[in-house]
Amino acid sequence: MPVSNPFSSHRLFHFAGRIFFVLAVTLACPVRALAQPPVFTRVTGPNNPIVTDALQSAGGSWTDLDGDGFLDLIVLNGITLSQSNSLYLHASGMSFLRVVTGDIPNDAGPSNGGVWGDYDQDGHTDLFVARRNNAGNLLYRGLGDTAFVKVTAGAVVTDLANSNSGSWVDIDRDGDLDLYVVNFQGDDFLYLNGGAPDWPLTRTLVPTLTPGNEFSIHGAWADFDGDCDEDLFVGNAGSQNDYLFVNGGDLTFTKRGFPDQSSTLGASWADFDADGDLDLFVANFLHEFSILYRNSGAPAFTLTPVPTSVYVPDAANSVGSAWGDIDNDGDLDLFVANDGEPSALYRNAGPPGFALTRATSGAEIANIGNSFGCSFADVDRDGALDLWVANRLNQPNFLYHNDGPVGGWAAFRCVGSTPNRSGVGARLRVLATIGGSPRWQMQEVMPLSGYNSQNLELHFGIGGATQLDSVLVNWPSGARDTFTAVPAGRLITITEHQALVGVETPNPARARLRITTRNPFRGAIELAYELTEEALVTLEVIDLGGRKIATLDAGRRSPGLHRSRFEAPANLRPGLYWARLDVAGAREVVGLTLLR
């Protein structure tokens, strides 16, 4: 498929203190053969708009808008034209519905990137959209579900620039989400959040941060040096050097240069070698070699290109990139979206070398598009990461189902108790016994990744393990939470300094909660539990946020079998819910899936 050079016009889209101690036993593991590779199948179907809409798509961002437990997707369209963006709600399996009402799907323009974040701490997700060619950026305040109000006043929507990407990130560590916008051939925009009650976003000049007249495309925020504040990598196109801005606190940054002189369009942070710090993949365009940088860790935190024994650079038109454990073996794999040529999938061999081996076959490679953004997401909640790819030349986007095999896994949503309810910047370390050896993994909730792509959920593969031995959470506020013996095979919500939602705790009365009728269900579902001794019992149905839907049983109950029936209210949205049994201070939880 031919490539139209996005760097051809004069507009140039070109386009136009924490220290983490890592368990060292992984270094002693023998060389491990790659597990059976997963099979990706391209999703098709005439009534599935997420795979039939043909627009100039740049990237996409996932979030659960309607609270049904499944991820929804905003796709940004109109890179060089005036097109409306696409908002898709999960329907069932790998199928989606397109939202057609409201401002979001009807504001046409040259959109390039969009990111979700609850910047006003009202519990509803808000959306920022970066647009090119001085079209004016967009800000929508969430009202719940798919209802949004468009912000029409303030610097965020009146400042004009050739904007390529944006990120919600707590830059000044005051607890709320600020907004950073990367601009092409112009100073970037930093808007500091003034907090309650009005949550104003005020443009602030930070001389040590704004790059200036570079051909800046992508900004990737992450705490690469583990000091509790977010640092920024800026990728520059036009054969210019890239930059890393190291956050020194108090809105001061130290600039590090990368003398690569490459046309960088995207980048992704990840701890691919499981040593406890974040490494960086940089995607380069114009058939230049992409680069994988390994983080040396403390004290210097130097980023150095890995040797070819770990990753063989590919000269391609690379744009998007996404890390994810596609085979749930405990190591992060890498997908790279290429423009007009086959994309690339690299499987991680794990310890001790963590070599990335490029796949030579598969639908995700055979289907060629003018691909830009890409991301992994467990779309159908089967425990395997599926793959979405954006195509930029009025082509249908790609959605691939991961057919497995599916190993052990656990997924997390992080909810902060400070104004940063979106959990951006939260860092999770999990310990599981994989292949007989204890192994730590680390991931961070990042505001943006790859090329204008976002998924705030964290997914960990744990091989054949059935539980996480430890889960350690370092929150942006500086607080820490620790959980032990966390059951796997489920989506878990972690709210700062609260109990886990979606996880049972050991039950001294030996009660076992089970579902006795069909699940997923329509209308009603029956449950049963059995007590070995008399105990005080509460059985409730809750949503993923922990809000009570119904109380099915409450009071002191005698030993024996007890049955309950949940009849879903007529106005209850289809989706994933939890039946939660509390017995003498202990807890068991099972998932309930309500169908349409």
Side-chain angles (χ1 to χ4, degrees), residues 78-152:
I79 301 174
T80 60
L81 300 175
S82 181
Q83 295 178 338
S84 297
N85 297 315
S86 303
L87 181 59
Y88 300 103
L89 283 184
H90 182 269
S92 63
M94 300 296 288
S95 297
F96 288 78
L97 303 173
R98 188 196 308 112
V99 177
V100 297
T101 59
D103 291 321
I104 291 178
N106 290 290
D107 282 336
S111 298
N112 211 41
V115 284
W116 303 105
D118 183 8
Y119 83 94
D120 53 3
Q121 201 194 3
D122 62 356
H124 304 309
T125 301
D126 311 302
L127 175 67
F128 171 79
V129 175
R131 301 203 297 180
R132 301 181 56 243
N133 302 334
N134 297 306
N137 298 321
L138 303 173
L139 178 62
Y140 305 92
R141 295 183 73 162
L143 302 177
D145 207 315
T146 60
F148 290 83
V149 58
K150 182 179 179 179
V151 176
T152 57

Side-chain angles (χ1 to χ4, degrees), residues 322-333:
W323 294 95
D325 190 352
I326 61 172
D327 46 13
N328 285 334
D329 64 350
D331 311 306
L332 291 175
D333 310 296

Side-chain angles (χ1 to χ4, degrees), residues 5 17 70 196 200 270 280 297 306 416 450 547:
N5 187 351
F70 293 88
L280 179 66
V306 300
R547 293 177 288 270

Side-chain angles (χ1 to χ4, degrees), residues 95-408:
S95 297
F96 288 78
L97 303 173
R98 188 196 308 112
V99 177
V100 297
T101 59
D103 291 321
I104 291 178
N106 290 290
D107 282 336
S111 298
N112 211 41
V115 284
W116 303 105
D118 183 8
Y119 83 94
D120 53 3
Q121 201 194 3
D122 62 356
H124 304 309
T125 301
D126 311 302
L127 175 67
F128 171 79
V129 175
R131 301 203 297 180
R132 301 181 56 243
N133 302 334
N134 297 306
N137 298 321
L138 303 173
L139 178 62
Y140 305 92
R141 295 183 73 162
L143 302 177
D145 207 315
T146 60
F148 290 83
V149 58
K150 182 179 179 179
V151 176
T152 57
V156 171
V157 297
T158 58
D159 287 342
L160 299 180
N162 195 353
S163 299
N164 272 311
S165 63
S167 297
W168 295 108
V169 57
D170 185 8
I171 295 174
D172 53 4
R173 292 202 65 200
D174 63 352
D176 48 39
L177 289 177
D178 310 301
L179 178 63
Y180 191 83
V181 182
V182 174
N183 295 322
F184 187 87
Q185 285 193 300
D187 284 343
D188 294 348
F189 296 152
L190 167 61
Y191 302 96
L192 292 182
N193 193 333
D198 298 323
W199 309 97
L201 295 169
T202 303
R203 184 173 169 185
T204 304
L205 178 63
V206 179
T208 57
L209 182 59
T210 53
N213 290 319
E214 284 83 0
F215 298 164
S216 301
I217 301 292
H218 180 77
W221 289 89
D223 183 11
F224 97 107
D225 53 2
D227 63 354
C228 306
D229 51 35
E230 299 296 297
D231 312 291
L232 172 65
F233 172 84
V234 175
N236 294 316
S239 299
Q240 296 179 337
N241 292 332
D242 299 327
Y243 298 108
L244 176 65
F245 295 89
V246 182
N247 194 338
D250 298 323
L251 294 179
T252 61
F253 291 82
T254 300
K255 182 177 179 180
R256 293 187 187 179
F258 290 77
D260 56 352
Q261 294 185 334
S262 298
S263 185
T264 299
L265 267 66
S268 298
W269 295 97
D271 182 15
F272 88 96
D273 55 0
D275 63 354
D277 47 47
L278 293 172
D279 312 295
L280 179 66
F281 177 80
V282 175
N284 291 325
F285 202 71
L286 298 179
H287 283 101
E288 297 170 332
F289 290 104
S290 295
I291 304 172
L292 175 59
Y293 294 96
R294 174 176 274 142
N295 192 335
S296 68
F301 296 97
T302 303
L303 295 174
T304 304
V306 300
T308 55
S309 60
V310 175
Y311 164 72
V312 178
D314 185 29
N317 289 316
S318 299
V319 184
S321 56
W323 294 95
D325 190 352
I326 61 172
D327 46 13
N328 285 334
D329 64 350
D331 311 306
L332 291 175
D333 310 296
L334 174 66
F335 181 81
V336 181
N338 293 329
D339 186 357
E341 54 195 358
S343 294
L345 177 65
Y346 299 88
R347 295 185 63 216
N348 194 330
F354 297 93
L356 298 177
T357 301
R358 183 169 183 173
T360 57
S361 62
E364 70 281 6
I365 298 169
N367 292 296
I368 301 176
N370 293 98
S371 301
F372 266 38
C374 61
S375 56
F376 288 112
D378 185 2
V379 173
D380 57 350
R381 292 296 182 212
D382 65 352
L385 287 175
D386 309 300
L387 174 65
W388 179 82
V389 183
N391 293 317
R392 71 174 178 93
L393 284 184
N394 294 308
Q395 306 151 311
N397 298 319
F398 298 146
L399 180 62
Y400 299 97
H401 180 258
N402 187 337
D403 299 335
V406 179

